Amino acid sequence: QVQLVESGGGLVQAGGSLRPSCAVSGRTFDNYNMGWFRQAPGKQREFVAAINRSGASTYYADSVKGRFTISRDNAKATVYLQMNSLKPEDTAVYYCAARTGWGIRVKSDEYDYWGQGTQVTVSS
């Protein structure tokens, strides 16, 4: 049984920062490649960032590259998303996801487990 719990969203003004985290249950966290996705009202779920099992490799959507940083702490079974220079268009529900296969993937249907999401709202 795998459970993912996001936290750390909130309301922030444009230009501000947030650092959502995602805690993964169990002791198999280092077996998972992890990703962050987001979904804004009326839009499809969108890939944001991903990180491989060891944390040595990361990949970002062009829309967030240079502003967001994904990281993981395998000892704490937690993945983080540092979000800087936030823009109103970043407003969405942010979801973390885990996949059991090897390697970074960018499609939502390539992930096996999902958290409940955390709301991020950026005001202008």
Side-chain angles (χ1 to χ4, degrees), residues 7-13 18 20 83 86 91-92 118-123:
S7 61
L11 175 64
V12 65
Q13 292 184 346
L18 287 171
M83 304 188 295
L86 283 163
T91 296
T118 186
Q119 177 70 49
V120 171
T121 302
V122 184
S123 63

Side-chain angles (χ1 to χ4, degrees), residues 86-108:
L86 283 163
K87 305 174 181 179
E89 50 263 46
D90 295 318
T91 296
V93 177
Y94 283 71
Y95 299 89
C96 65
R99 65 183 302 270
T100 58
W102 185 91
I104 291 172
R105 298 290 185 270
V106 301
K107 295 181 178 179
S108 60

Side-chain angles (χ1 to χ4, degrees), residues 47-117:
F47 171 78
V48 176
I51 189 166
N52 75 346
R53 294 174 179 178
S54 69
S57 296
T58 58
Y59 187 74
Y60 300 91
D62 288 343
S63 59
V64 306
K65 191 174 188 299
R67 300 187 296 121
F68 291 10
T69 303
I70 187 171
S71 62
R72 67 191 294 162
D73 186 336
N74 286 354
K76 296 181 178 179
T78 301
V79 63
Y80 305 90
L81 186 67
Q82 179 68 52
M83 304 188 295
N84 298 325
S85 302
L86 283 163
K87 305 174 181 179
E89 50 263 46
D90 295 318
T91 296
V93 177
Y94 283 71
Y95 299 89
C96 65
R99 65 183 302 270
T100 58
W102 185 91
I104 291 172
R105 298 290 185 270
V106 301
K107 295 181 178 179
S108 60
D109 61 3
E110 295 173 317
Y111 287 77
D112 302 300
Y113 305 103
W114 292 84
Q116 82 288 351

